[in-house]
Amino acid sequence: MTTQPPRIVVMGVAGSGKSTVGTLLAEALGVEFGEGDDFHPAANVAKMAAGNGLNDEDRAPWLDALVAWLAERPAAVLSCSALKQGYRDRLREAAPDLFFVHLAAPRAELKRRLTSRRGHFMSVDMLDSQLSVLRPLSADEAGITLDATLPPGELVEQTRSALPSGVV
């Protein structure tokens, strides 16, 4: 049986562990990792650093950049909040076979992580706005929701086990 390399988005709100798990997952699969935060225009970063949430208009150029990045790679892992199904639909335009890994954690744990994080533009004050926008994966979306309080290595193994048959 031949296997194909995957294209995966590790999604969730700030503090869920997207970057950590995404990096480890990409290493385990031998594919490139893309840090979704790196694709934000400077205006978005400034807006979030000032404690203001992004709207759909703000997110459009960011999503365009992520779509372009995915379209250029037959295999990759990307961290991206992907809060709404419409955003995930947009990402699937570049990769119809995209598999989503939603890292979910209780608000208190997310707040604890954000409070202890240093040097990041995303303020703990933004957590509630992200949680209010977040729409979990629907039944017709390829993906899995995992408990982000588990150790990152375990999340990587759970993801690998959940990948569709024929995917590395």
Side-chain angles (χ1 to χ4, degrees), residues 129-151:
S129 74
Q130 281 205 328
L131 288 169
S132 70
V133 172
L134 175 66
R135 298 297 173 264
L137 293 171
S138 64
D140 65 340
E141 291 183 279
I144 186 170
T145 299
L146 300 176
D147 177 354
T149 64
L150 295 173

PDB file of all heavy atoms in Angstrom, residues 129-151:
ATOM      1  N   SER A 129     -12.643  36.774  23.161  1.00  0.00           N
ATOM      2  CA  SER A 129     -13.132  37.073  21.816  1.00  0.00           C
ATOM      3  C   SER A 129     -12.873  35.888  20.887  1.00  0.00           C
ATOM      4  O   SER A 129     -13.714  35.554  20.055  1.00  0.00           O
ATOM      5  CB  SER A 129     -12.530  38.360  21.261  1.00  0.00           C
ATOM      6  OG  SER A 129     -11.190  38.184  20.883  1.00  0.00           O
ATOM      7  N   GLN A 130     -11.741  35.230  21.043  1.00  0.00           N
ATOM      8  CA  GLN A 130     -11.469  34.046  20.208  1.00  0.00           C
ATOM      9  C   GLN A 130     -12.423  32.907  20.567  1.00  0.00           C
ATOM     10  O   GLN A 130     -12.946  32.241  19.673  1.00  0.00           O
ATOM     11  CB  GLN A 130     -10.020  33.583  20.369  1.00  0.00           C
ATOM     12  CG  GLN A 130      -9.040  34.406  19.582  1.00  0.00           C
ATOM     13  CD  GLN A 130      -7.776  33.624  19.269  1.00  0.00           C
ATOM     14  OE1 GLN A 130      -7.340  32.771  20.033  1.00  0.00           O
ATOM     15  NE2 GLN A 130      -7.186  33.946  18.134  1.00  0.00           N
ATOM     16  N   LEU A 131     -12.648  32.694  21.838  1.00  0.00           N
ATOM     17  CA  LEU A 131     -13.570  31.629  22.250  1.00  0.00           C
ATOM     18  C   LEU A 131     -14.988  31.885  21.742  1.00  0.00           C
ATOM     19  O   LEU A 131     -15.703  30.948  21.389  1.00  0.00           O
ATOM     20  CB  LEU A 131     -13.559  31.466  23.774  1.00  0.00           C
ATOM     21  CG  LEU A 131     -12.286  30.836  24.346  1.00  0.00           C
ATOM     22  CD1 LEU A 131     -12.268  30.972  25.869  1.00  0.00           C
ATOM     23  CD2 LEU A 131     -12.158  29.378  23.922  1.00  0.00           C
ATOM     24  N   SER A 132     -15.393  33.146  21.681  1.00  0.00           N
ATOM     25  CA  SER A 132     -16.746  33.453  21.210  1.00  0.00           C
ATOM     26  C   SER A 132     -16.885  33.252  19.699  1.00  0.00           C
ATOM     27  O   SER A 132     -17.978  32.955  19.212  1.00  0.00           O
ATOM     28  CB  SER A 132     -17.150  34.875  21.595  1.00  0.00           C
ATOM     29  OG  SER A 132     -16.425  35.824  20.848  1.00  0.00           O
ATOM     30  N   VAL A 133     -15.790  33.386  18.960  1.00  0.00           N
ATOM     31  CA  VAL A 133     -15.812  33.201  17.506  1.00  0.00           C
ATOM     32  C   VAL A 133     -15.641  31.733  17.118  1.00  0.00           C
ATOM     33  O   VAL A 133     -16.157  31.287  16.097  1.00  0.00           O
ATOM     34  CB  VAL A 133     -14.710  34.070  16.844  1.00  0.00           C
ATOM     35  CG1 VAL A 133     -14.564  33.767  15.364  1.00  0.00           C
ATOM     36  CG2 VAL A 133     -15.000  35.551  17.050  1.00  0.00           C
ATOM     37  N   LEU A 134     -14.934  30.961  17.939  1.00  0.00           N
ATOM     38  CA  LEU A 134     -14.607  29.574  17.626  1.00  0.00           C
ATOM     39  C   LEU A 134     -15.844  28.730  17.336  1.00  0.00           C
ATOM     40  O   LEU A 134     -16.803  28.727  18.114  1.00  0.00           O
ATOM     41  CB  LEU A 134     -13.832  28.939  18.786  1.00  0.00           C
ATOM     42  CG  LEU A 134     -13.533  27.449  18.653  1.00  0.00           C
ATOM     43  CD1 LEU A 134     -12.578  27.188  17.494  1.00  0.00           C
ATOM     44  CD2 LEU A 134     -12.977  26.902  19.951  1.00  0.00           C
ATOM     45  N   ARG A 135     -15.798  28.034  16.205  1.00  0.00           N
ATOM     46  CA  ARG A 135     -16.820  27.053  15.848  1.00  0.00           C
ATOM     47  C   ARG A 135     -16.096  25.723  15.700  1.00  0.00           C
ATOM     48  O   ARG A 135     -15.208  25.584  14.855  1.00  0.00           O
ATOM     49  CB  ARG A 135     -17.527  27.412  14.534  1.00  0.00           C
ATOM     50  CG  ARG A 135     -18.281  28.724  14.588  1.00  0.00           C
ATOM     51  CD  ARG A 135     -19.431  28.672  15.624  1.00  0.00           C
ATOM     52  NE  ARG A 135     -20.067  29.957  15.818  1.00  0.00           N
ATOM     53  CZ  ARG A 135     -19.784  30.824  16.779  1.00  0.00           C
ATOM     54  NH1 ARG A 135     -18.840  30.566  17.651  1.00  0.00           N
ATOM     55  NH2 ARG A 135     -20.431  31.958  16.895  1.00  0.00           N
ATOM     56  N   PRO A 136     -16.472  24.735  16.520  1.00  0.00           N
ATOM     57  CA  PRO A 136     -15.801  23.430  16.440  1.00  0.00           C
ATOM     58  C   PRO A 136     -15.961  22.801  15.058  1.00  0.00           C
ATOM     59  O   PRO A 136     -16.832  23.186  14.276  1.00  0.00           O
ATOM     60  CB  PRO A 136     -16.519  22.600  17.503  1.00  0.00           C
ATOM     61  CG  PRO A 136     -17.175  23.583  18.404  1.00  0.00           C
ATOM     62  CD  PRO A 136     -17.500  24.776  17.550  1.00  0.00           C
ATOM     63  N   LEU A 137     -15.136  21.814  14.802  1.00  0.00           N
ATOM     64  CA  LEU A 137     -15.239  21.073  13.551  1.00  0.00           C
ATOM     65  C   LEU A 137     -16.638  20.480  13.422  1.00  0.00           C
ATOM     66  O   LEU A 137     -17.188  19.948  14.387  1.00  0.00           O
ATOM     67  CB  LEU A 137     -14.213  19.945  13.509  1.00  0.00           C
ATOM     68  CG  LEU A 137     -12.745  20.353  13.445  1.00  0.00           C
ATOM     69  CD1 LEU A 137     -11.849  19.142  13.642  1.00  0.00           C
ATOM     70  CD2 LEU A 137     -12.441  21.041  12.129  1.00  0.00           C
ATOM     71  N   SER A 138     -17.187  20.548  12.230  1.00  0.00           N
ATOM     72  CA  SER A 138     -18.488  19.926  11.989  1.00  0.00           C
ATOM     73  C   SER A 138     -18.272  18.481  11.550  1.00  0.00           C
ATOM     74  O   SER A 138     -17.152  18.084  11.191  1.00  0.00           O
ATOM     75  CB  SER A 138     -19.273  20.710  10.935  1.00  0.00           C
ATOM     76  OG  SER A 138     -18.604  20.663   9.696  1.00  0.00           O
ATOM     77  N   ALA A 139     -19.328  17.708  11.562  1.00  0.00           N
ATOM     78  CA  ALA A 139     -19.237  16.283  11.239  1.00  0.00           C
ATOM     79  C   ALA A 139     -18.714  16.033   9.832  1.00  0.00           C
ATOM     80  O   ALA A 139     -18.118  14.985   9.565  1.00  0.00           O
ATOM     81  CB  ALA A 139     -20.605  15.627  11.420  1.00  0.00           C
ATOM     82  N   ASP A 140     -18.913  16.984   8.917  1.00  0.00           N
ATOM     83  CA  ASP A 140     -18.469  16.781   7.539  1.00  0.00           C
ATOM     84  C   ASP A 140     -17.062  17.321   7.268  1.00  0.00           C
ATOM     85  O   ASP A 140     -16.606  17.312   6.126  1.00  0.00           O
ATOM     86  CB  ASP A 140     -19.465  17.374   6.555  1.00  0.00           C
ATOM     87  CG  ASP A 140     -19.580  18.893   6.659  1.00  0.00           C
ATOM     88  OD1 ASP A 140     -19.191  19.457   7.703  1.00  0.00           O
ATOM     89  OD2 ASP A 140     -20.066  19.514   5.695  1.00  0.00           O
ATOM     90  N   GLU A 141     -16.359  17.756   8.309  1.00  0.00           N
ATOM     91  CA  GLU A 141     -14.994  18.241   8.148  1.00  0.00           C
ATOM     92  C   GLU A 141     -14.004  17.154   8.577  1.00  0.00           C
ATOM     93  O   GLU A 141     -14.148  16.580   9.657  1.00  0.00           O
ATOM     94  CB  GLU A 141     -14.754  19.494   8.988  1.00  0.00           C
ATOM     95  CG  GLU A 141     -15.513  20.704   8.499  1.00  0.00           C
ATOM     96  CD  GLU A 141     -15.192  21.929   9.319  1.00  0.00           C
ATOM     97  OE1 GLU A 141     -15.774  22.090  10.417  1.00  0.00           O
ATOM     98  OE2 GLU A 141     -14.344  22.720   8.858  1.00  0.00           O
ATOM     99  N   ALA A 142     -13.021  16.880   7.719  1.00  0.00           N
ATOM    100  CA  ALA A 142     -12.003  15.885   8.044  1.00  0.00           C
ATOM    101  C   ALA A 142     -11.131  16.418   9.172  1.00  0.00           C
ATOM    102  O   ALA A 142     -10.514  17.472   9.037  1.00  0.00           O
ATOM    103  CB  ALA A 142     -11.146  15.583   6.816  1.00  0.00           C
ATOM    104  N   GLY A 143     -11.124  15.702  10.270  1.00  0.00           N
ATOM    105  CA  GLY A 143     -10.301  16.147  11.378  1.00  0.00           C
ATOM    106  C   GLY A 143     -10.655  15.470  12.675  1.00  0.00           C
ATOM    107  O   GLY A 143     -11.494  14.568  12.730  1.00  0.00           O
ATOM    108  N   ILE A 144      -9.993  15.936  13.721  1.00  0.00           N
ATOM    109  CA  ILE A 144     -10.160  15.373  15.056  1.00  0.00           C
ATOM    110  C   ILE A 144     -10.017  16.499  16.073  1.00  0.00           C
ATOM    111  O   ILE A 144      -9.274  17.458  15.847  1.00  0.00           O
ATOM    112  CB  ILE A 144      -9.107  14.266  15.311  1.00  0.00           C
ATOM    113  CG1 ILE A 144      -9.355  13.555  16.646  1.00  0.00           C
ATOM    114  CG2 ILE A 144      -7.694  14.814  15.226  1.00  0.00           C
ATOM    115  CD1 ILE A 144      -8.499  12.308  16.826  1.00  0.00           C
ATOM    116  N   THR A 145     -10.735  16.379  17.174  1.00  0.00           N
ATOM    117  CA  THR A 145     -10.591  17.313  18.289  1.00  0.00           C
ATOM    118  C   THR A 145      -9.887  16.573  19.413  1.00  0.00           C
ATOM    119  O   THR A 145     -10.300  15.469  19.793  1.00  0.00           O
ATOM    120  CB  THR A 145     -11.961  17.834  18.751  1.00  0.00           C
ATOM    121  OG1 THR A 145     -12.577  18.521  17.664  1.00  0.00           O
ATOM    122  CG2 THR A 145     -11.819  18.790  19.934  1.00  0.00           C
ATOM    123  N   LEU A 146      -8.827  17.187  19.931  1.00  0.00           N
ATOM    124  CA  LEU A 146      -8.018  16.569  20.974  1.00  0.00           C
ATOM    125  C   LEU A 146      -7.965  17.440  22.218  1.00  0.00           C
ATOM    126  O   LEU A 146      -8.096  18.659  22.136  1.00  0.00           O
ATOM    127  CB  LEU A 146      -6.592  16.339  20.457  1.00  0.00           C
ATOM    128  CG  LEU A 146      -6.451  15.423  19.234  1.00  0.00           C
ATOM    129  CD1 LEU A 146      -4.994  15.371  18.790  1.00  0.00           C
ATOM    130  CD2 LEU A 146      -6.978  14.032  19.540  1.00  0.00           C
ATOM    131  N   ASP A 147      -7.725  16.795  23.336  1.00  0.00           N
ATOM    132  CA  ASP A 147      -7.594  17.462  24.626  1.00  0.00           C
ATOM    133  C   ASP A 147      -6.203  18.087  24.722  1.00  0.00           C
ATOM    134  O   ASP A 147      -5.202  17.380  24.911  1.00  0.00           O
ATOM    135  CB  ASP A 147      -7.805  16.443  25.745  1.00  0.00           C
ATOM    136  CG  ASP A 147      -7.629  17.014  27.133  1.00  0.00           C
ATOM    137  OD1 ASP A 147      -7.229  18.197  27.277  1.00  0.00           O
ATOM    138  OD2 ASP A 147      -7.881  16.274  28.110  1.00  0.00           O
ATOM    139  N   ALA A 148      -6.140  19.398  24.578  1.00  0.00           N
ATOM    140  CA  ALA A 148      -4.855  20.107  24.535  1.00  0.00           C
ATOM    141  C   ALA A 148      -4.120  20.110  25.868  1.00  0.00           C
ATOM    142  O   ALA A 148      -2.985  20.584  25.930  1.00  0.00           O
ATOM    143  CB  ALA A 148      -5.069  21.543  24.061  1.00  0.00           C
ATOM    144  N   THR A 149      -4.720  19.571  26.925  1.00  0.00           N
ATOM    145  CA  THR A 149      -4.005  19.486  28.192  1.00  0.00           C
ATOM    146  C   THR A 149      -3.101  18.260  28.255  1.00  0.00           C
ATOM    147  O   THR A 149      -2.305  18.132  29.182  1.00  0.00           O
ATOM    148  CB  THR A 149      -4.978  19.473  29.396  1.00  0.00           C
ATOM    149  OG1 THR A 149      -5.784  18.293  29.340  1.00  0.00           O
ATOM    150  CG2 THR A 149      -5.861  20.712  29.400  1.00  0.00           C
ATOM    151  N   LEU A 150      -3.213  17.375  27.264  1.00  0.00           N
ATOM    152  CA  LEU A 150      -2.342  16.202  27.208  1.00  0.00           C
ATOM    153  C   LEU A 150      -0.943  16.619  26.764  1.00  0.00           C
ATOM    154  O   LEU A 150      -0.771  17.657  26.124  1.00  0.00           O
ATOM    155  CB  LEU A 150      -2.915  15.166  26.237  1.00  0.00           C
ATOM    156  CG  LEU A 150      -4.258  14.550  26.640  1.00  0.00           C
ATOM    157  CD1 LEU A 150      -4.797  13.681  25.513  1.00  0.00           C
ATOM    158  CD2 LEU A 150      -4.106  13.744  27.923  1.00  0.00           C
ATOM    159  N   PRO A 151       0.058  15.798  27.061  1.00  0.00           N
ATOM    160  CA  PRO A 151       1.424  16.122  26.627  1.00  0.00           C
ATOM    161  C   PRO A 151       1.499  16.216  25.097  1.00  0.00           C
ATOM    162  O   PRO A 151       0.848  15.438  24.392  1.00  0.00           O
ATOM    163  CB  PRO A 151       2.261  14.946  27.146  1.00  0.00           C
ATOM    164  CG  PRO A 151       1.446  14.339  28.246  1.00  0.00           C
ATOM    165  CD  PRO A 151       0.017  14.568  27.873  1.00  0.00           C
TER     166      PRO A 151
END
